[in-house]
Amino acid sequence: MYAVIKTGGKQYKVAAGEKIKVEQIAADVGQDIVIDQVLALGAGDSLTVGTPLVAGATVTAKVVSHGKHDKVRIFKMRRRKHYQKHGGHRQQYTELEIGAISA
């Protein structure tokens, strides 16, 4: 069984036992969280699509860790103008381990 969930403005296809990295969630390491924004549920050939959410469906997940992704380098330059600007960004994430998917 798999589910399509929405968290942090993004959508993820998850199944029980998987680990995913999502936008940072304010939760402690080891804490169980419930994600109730389930957009679709699937098992084998059957697929249930919500309008926009599947009623009563939840996904439970355990917070494994918090961290930062690799740095994204930003470089701006205007040719012949002696202008260069350097920057960078490291996005924070929360790693979740998917537990049960309930319809």
Side-chain angles (χ1 to χ4, degrees):
M1 179 178 236
Y2 67 92
V4 178
I5 61 171
K6 179 178 155 187
T7 179
K10 297 180 178 72
Q11 298 175 6
Y12 302 92
K13 180 183 174 185
V14 298
E18 286 185 348
K19 288 186 179 180
I20 60 169
K21 292 180 180 178
V22 299
E23 297 292 319
Q24 188 175 30
I25 297 173
D28 295 327
V29 175
Q31 182 177 347
D32 288 333
I33 62 169
V34 176
I35 301 170
D36 57 352
Q37 291 193 335
V38 179
L39 303 173
L41 286 173
D45 291 338
S46 66
L47 177 66
T48 305
V49 179
T51 55
L53 302 175
V54 178
T58 59
V59 174
T60 58
K62 182 178 181 180
V63 177
V64 177
S65 64
H66 296 288
K68 286 185 174 183
H69 285 290
D70 294 334
K71 180 177 275 193
V72 176
R73 301 216 177 260
I74 301 158
F75 179 67
K76 297 181 180 181
M77 186 179 89
R78 300 284 182 260
R79 62 184 187 158
R80 301 186 306 268
K81 305 299 180 194
H82 198 61
Y83 170 80
Q84 290 183 354
K85 186 174 182 180
H86 300 272
H89 177 71
R90 290 188 71 190
Q91 185 68 35
Q92 296 184 344
Y93 68 86
T94 298
E95 188 174 7
L96 299 176
E97 183 176 0
I98 304 300
I101 299 171
S102 64

